[in-house]
Amino acid sequence: MKTRLLALSLIIVLLIAAGCSNTNLNNSDNAGEELKEKDWSDITELAEGSKVRIFMWGGDEGINRYMDEWVAPNLKEAHNIELERVPMDTNEILQKLSTEKRANKEEGTIDIIWINGENFKNAKEFELLYGPFSEKLPNYQNYVDTESLDVQYDFGTEVEGLEAPWGKVQFVFQYDEEKIPTPPANFEELKDWIKENPGKFTYPDANDFTGNAFLRHVLYDAVGGPEKLLENGYDEKVLANHADALWSYLREIQPSLWRNGETYPATLTDLDRLYSQGEVWMTMGYNEARAESLIKDGIFPESTKSFVLDSGSIGNTHFLAIPFNSPNKAGAMVAIDFLMSPDAQLAKYESTYWGENMALDPTKLPEDAQEKLANMDRGASVLSPEKLSESLLPEVDAEYVNWLKEHWVNEVVQKQ
Amino acid sequence: MKWFKSNNWSLALLPAFLFTFCLVVYGLFMAAQESVTTLNGFSLDAYKNIFDNEAFLESLTYSLRIAFVSTVLSLVLGLLLTKFLFETLNNHLARTVVWLPMLFPHFVWGYMMILLFSQTGWFSTMLHAMSIIDSPDQFPVLTNDRYGIGIILTYTLKEIPFVVLMLLPVYAQLNRDLPNVVMTLGGNKWHVFKTVEWPWLFPVLMEAGLIVFAFILAAFEVPYLLGTTYPKMVSVLAYEWFYQGDWSKRPESFAVMMTVTAIIFGLLIILLSLVSRSRYRMMKGNGM
């Protein structure tokens, strides 16, 4: 009896010990290096019949439907690759990767991540990404304007082939036309409108992606345009000179915000909920066509329209990358190339699913795709391409994002 | 081998012990290590920084207040429920009804609070439809409010069944003759409660209280959903610092969680000394 007990304990202890330790003896690193030398046709062959896991933000129904209903079946048909979408916030994905890196785990579970901005900066600095690979992709070579700054730089960080462009989005405000006949045209008018309609406007917390983008708009306005912020990368001096204008604007509107500015929605999803329930009359988002699918699903009222301020709207490119320890790098490259194909990009452009702008250069597209693009109706809530492109503003260094996160609570929320 | 013969129970505990060690102690150790490691090596700057940081101090008092109020409320209500419904709760159906809230995850419960109690929620819409309030704005702010009412409400409702679960066995094991003794000696119901029930209840109540308190103090999802922008509860604050853009606030984030751990640990020690004293008195038989 006692020996049996002893044996049992021993087995359990051994099992635990095995679980605690990390013994990984494989050579996926070498395989990754070899892959860089291979021809594209060999890579496609390698990817055939494999499974690719894409980890991406899952907070938007339209995006999720695009991935599940359009991309997955078509990718299966074109390359016999099975696509599994795992919803996870990007910063948590990076956390997982950095833990795996520290534990020397050479074979992870993630093949593709959707990444952008400060997350890319962190990932690049901590060497969490595989690459350079984007130059190898045929669709990147053929259809992307590889010279343009928004493909070469991601929030001021040089891309260096570590990520491939996937889409472009622009920041717009959404409002209910029945409640607001003429939306404000600039920040001054927005302020007046907020004061005349107390409680009907708010913006998400500075830690939220969208909330931070709104704050950057106010910052641009306070500085007098993004040029000053772009000149020398992150510049403390510019901030020192103009921060007061930024904070005083925000403090001035605060008492007239939703709940008197005592609290802010933690995420864009919360703001959307407030808008859909009619508690606030405006919402916003980093995608000029995002309202379409929400209107279609009955979440937003039919009378939802969008607008941009005269001072412009920030736009940026977002990317796809492969983690350093992806178990299926060949499959990941083929899947990313597929996601950048004109067909996939056009389906993404359609407002039925996602409705966001293409990462490809429209002038480089084949003729039939160009025709399709010209005939596409993006929906009544989406602004015209001319209006959007004339108001496009560039994104600035990711350090400004952090600076806003750090100071917003102290300067605005606490001071009321 | 003689030691093994007299202590073979300790061998059976070994797996459990190792499991705890592997997961909890190791995790705690790593967190402590991260909180004192900076780019320039060992430093206690993270702790110094957070105790100089107004946002953290307010967040800590805010969390302690919310945890304390919710714990006291759920203990008192749980005790009253068990005491007065003890006979009914012997019935399976009644017990299921009381324990029903335990089946829902906290996050679902929190979201339900928003759907029911927000200014455009179910209650507000109903009151508006019945013309009791003129506009949804007049409905009291119960979610995402400054005082954490929504959070307190959520946790109180969620933890009452747990308290009932802890207290039911105590009532089941109480000596049924003792109340009669008190009555015969001229005591009233209060005396019965004080002399017969309380000494048995006290240690269990304290233990349940500590579990609930520790759980709420370190909770994340409900405060994230129902809390305000400022102050935030400690876990939400730590999460935010942990995931901040350039990862430079990570030591401070770990320091926050170590502080919370220290508080819970301190309470545990106080509680153990209290309970052991009361158990000792119970043994002596004067029952106070």
Side-chain angles (χ1 to χ4, degrees):
Chain A
M1 185 62 207
K2 237 168 260 165
T3 33
R4 208 181 287 172
L5 197 69
L6 191 70
L8 189 74
S9 308
L10 220 79
I11 290 168
I12 294 172
V13 169
L14 280 176
L15 280 176
I16 294 170
C20 272
S21 76
N22 239 304
T23 44
N24 260 298
L25 301 165
N26 73 62
N27 44 8
S28 87
D29 215 26
N30 295 336
E33 286 307 312
E34 276 171 32
L35 200 62
K36 284 179 189 165
E37 309 298 320
K38 283 205 167 85
D39 279 340
W40 183 250
S41 58
D42 294 334
I43 295 176
T44 341
E45 209 167 294
L46 258 176
E48 184 91 12
S50 65
K51 184 174 177 177
V52 171
R53 288 180 158 178
I54 177 165
F55 279 53
M56 54 186 271
W57 178 67
D60 185 295
E61 266 319 298
I63 299 176
N64 294 346
R65 279 202 354 254
Y66 168 68
M67 294 307 289
D68 297 341
E69 292 171 18
W70 198 92
V71 175
N74 283 296
L75 183 65
K76 177 90 189 160
E77 199 176 318
H79 296 286
N80 193 23
I81 289 177
E82 194 186 329
L83 186 78
E84 189 188 347
R85 179 178 63 83
V86 183
M88 195 190 259
D89 278 350
T90 316
N91 47 21
E92 281 170 39
I93 300 172
L94 293 191
Q95 179 54 34
K96 187 172 148 71
L97 284 175
S98 99
T99 314
E100 285 176 359
K101 177 117 190 164
R102 269 210 289 198
N104 266 327
K105 198 173 174 208
E106 289 296 345
E107 184 139 344
T109 47
I110 309 171
D111 296 313
I112 304 176
I113 38 180
W114 177 15
I115 197 167
N116 183 218
E118 48 172 38
N119 284 319
F120 173 65
K121 195 179 174 196
N122 280 334
K124 194 182 167 192
E125 262 168 30
F126 285 77
E127 296 177 347
L128 302 178
L129 299 177
Y130 165 77
F133 74 93
S134 58
E135 307 265 304
K136 277 204 103 70
L137 311 180
N139 285 328
Y140 178 84
Q141 293 291 2
N142 294 340
Y143 304 120
V144 174
D145 179 7
T146 48
E147 299 295 309
S148 76
L149 286 178
D150 61 336
V151 171
Q152 290 190 341
Y153 288 89
D154 182 356
F155 277 80
T157 310
E158 216 176 326
V159 169
E160 291 179 327
L162 292 173
E163 44 178 19
W166 190 25
K168 283 180 193 170
V169 284
Q170 213 167 321
F171 188 96
V172 292
F173 294 90
Q174 280 90 29
Y175 68 102
D176 190 340
E177 203 177 24
E178 275 178 11
K179 290 170 179 155
I180 313 168
T182 40
N186 51 46
F187 275 106
E188 205 53 41
E189 282 184 41
L190 180 67
K191 181 164 75 186
D192 295 339
W193 182 83
I194 292 168
K195 283 183 178 167
E196 280 159 26
N197 301 279
K200 297 304 176 205
F201 182 85
T202 188
Y203 55 94
D205 193 309
N207 285 294
D208 180 74
F209 185 69
T210 309
N212 204 292
F214 173 77
L215 293 176
R216 286 202 296 282
H217 276 99
V218 186
L219 176 68
Y220 278 24
D221 206 57
V223 174
E227 295 78 18
K228 285 216 178 77
L229 299 171
L230 280 168
E231 259 166 32
N232 310 317
Y234 180 65
D235 191 348
E236 294 267 358
K237 243 186 267 159
V238 177
L239 286 176
N241 290 336
H242 298 282
D244 279 344
L246 164 74
W247 302 133
S248 66
Y249 181 87
L250 294 171
R251 281 198 288 259
E252 206 177 321
I253 58 170
Q254 178 155 274
S256 314
L257 295 180
W258 172 72
R259 290 274 173 83
N260 311 99
E262 279 172 14
T263 186
Y264 291 80
T267 61
L268 176 61
T269 319
D270 291 340
L271 178 61
D272 280 347
R273 184 176 50 74
L274 292 176
Y275 176 73
S276 70
Q277 291 173 340
E279 261 189 82
V280 296
W281 290 351
M282 271 190 211
T283 177
M284 57 189 79
Y286 221 136
N287 171 1
E288 65 274 14
R290 64 188 282 270
E292 276 305 301
S293 60
L294 288 160
I295 295 171
K296 211 169 142 234
D297 294 344
I299 298 166
F300 280 6
E302 294 269 351
S303 47
T304 300
K305 292 282 179 309
S306 62
F307 73 95
V308 291
L309 298 176
D310 288 345
S311 51
S313 91
I314 304 180
N316 78 32
T317 306
H318 55 88
F319 298 82
L320 293 167
I322 305 174
F324 73 99
N325 63 356
S326 148
N328 182 11
K329 296 191 177 80
M333 279 162 78
V334 174
I336 291 176
D337 186 62
F338 177 78
L339 285 165
M340 288 171 72
S341 66
D343 279 350
Q345 292 276 321
L346 277 171
K348 184 157 69 79
Y349 189 74
E350 263 178 80
S351 53
T352 359
Y353 291 116
W354 186 343
E356 75 148 7
N357 211 342
M358 298 191 299
L360 311 179
D361 181 356
T363 56
K364 287 188 170 186
L365 287 179
E367 240 167 68
D368 59 323
Q370 281 196 15
E371 206 173 299
K372 224 174 145 189
L373 186 66
N375 294 333
M376 210 168 297
D377 176 21
R378 297 180 82 187
S381 77
V382 188
L383 294 170
S384 70
E386 295 81 34
K387 178 76 192 163
L388 286 168
S389 69
E390 75 178 30
S391 53
L392 179 71
L393 297 176
E395 198 55 89
V396 284
D397 198 285
E399 268 310 303
Y400 288 108
V401 178
N402 291 333
W403 180 83
L404 283 166
K405 277 187 193 176
E406 259 172 52
H407 292 84
W408 176 70
V409 167
N410 292 339
E411 296 289 341
V412 182
V413 187
Q414 260 167 309
K415 288 196 180 162
Q416 59 166 353
Chain B
M1 282 316 277
K2 207 170 179 192
W3 186 84
F4 271 121
K5 263 177 204 153
S6 51
N7 292 295
N8 56 14
W9 52 268
S10 64
L11 210 60
L13 274 179
L14 198 61
F17 174 75
L18 264 169
F19 227 78
T20 321
F21 192 81
C22 245
L23 298 174
V24 181
V25 180
Y26 178 72
L28 209 61
F29 177 76
M30 286 303 288
Q33 198 191 25
E34 293 277 343
S35 73
V36 294
T37 318
T38 59
L39 288 175
N40 312 317
F42 178 85
S43 124
L44 286 174
D45 282 354
Y47 290 91
K48 225 180 111 243
N49 287 345
I50 61 169
F51 283 102
D52 283 341
N53 188 337
E54 204 188 320
F56 168 70
L57 293 176
E58 276 204 44
S59 148
L60 188 65
T61 41
Y62 177 74
S63 309
L64 285 170
R65 195 171 56 220
I66 286 181
F68 182 75
V69 173
S70 328
T71 310
V72 170
L73 277 177
S74 45
L75 285 184
V76 170
L77 294 172
L79 176 62
L80 291 177
L81 202 69
T82 328
K83 183 170 165 55
F84 293 110
L85 293 177
F86 168 61
E87 298 296 335
T88 329
L89 285 180
N90 275 333
N91 177 324
H92 269 297
L93 189 71
R95 217 158 31 188
T96 315
V97 171
V98 172
W99 286 347
L100 205 61
M102 282 176 111
L103 293 177
F104 296 96
H106 278 84
F107 195 74
V108 174
W109 199 258
Y111 204 74
M112 221 157 76
M113 296 297 293
I114 287 191
L115 294 180
L116 293 178
F117 290 106
S118 75
Q119 284 193 311
T120 43
W122 193 78
F123 282 112
S124 161
T125 317
M126 203 175 67
L127 289 179
H128 184 54
M130 298 192 314
S131 308
I132 295 175
I133 54 173
D134 296 329
S135 77
D137 293 10
Q138 288 175 344
F139 191 75
V141 176
L142 294 176
T143 54
N144 304 107
D145 60 293
R146 211 137 236 244
Y147 305 100
I149 299 172
I151 304 174
I152 293 174
L153 221 60
T154 310
Y155 279 121
T156 307
L157 292 174
K158 274 291 284 177
E159 303 315 329
I160 287 174
F162 173 72
V163 175
V164 174
L165 182 76
M166 295 282 282
L167 292 182
L168 266 183
V170 181
Y171 274 94
Q173 283 166 8
L174 270 187
N175 189 334
R176 297 281 110 201
D177 295 332
L178 285 176
N180 295 335
V181 177
V182 177
M183 296 290 197
T184 323
L185 293 173
N188 55 24
K189 277 188 175 163
W190 170 245
H191 289 121
V192 173
F193 178 74
K194 215 173 87 175
T195 52
V196 181
E197 295 170 17
W198 183 247
W200 297 98
L201 285 170
F202 177 70
V204 181
L205 267 180
M206 283 293 123
E207 278 161 23
L210 182 74
I211 294 171
V212 171
F213 186 86
F215 181 79
I216 299 173
L217 186 64
F220 175 77
E221 71 262 63
V222 173
Y224 185 69
L225 198 63
L226 294 172
T228 47
T229 310
Y230 186 85
K232 287 185 162 82
M233 268 182 84
V234 276
S235 311
V236 182
L237 193 73
Y239 176 87
E240 213 160 73
W241 286 357
F242 188 77
Y243 280 128
Q244 198 148 58
D246 57 357
W247 296 6
S248 67
K249 273 210 162 188
R250 291 201 158 179
E252 287 172 38
S253 166
F254 280 111
V256 169
M257 286 331 276
M258 288 311 292
T259 311
V260 173
T261 313
I263 290 171
I264 294 172
F265 206 70
L267 284 174
L268 178 73
I269 291 172
I270 295 172
L271 175 115
L272 283 180
S273 69
L274 270 179
V275 171
S276 69
R277 212 179 302 156
S278 88
R279 287 226 155 113
Y280 177 74
R281 268 204 231 108
M282 262 157 59
M283 242 160 44
K284 285 283 197 180
N286 61 3
M288 270 300 289

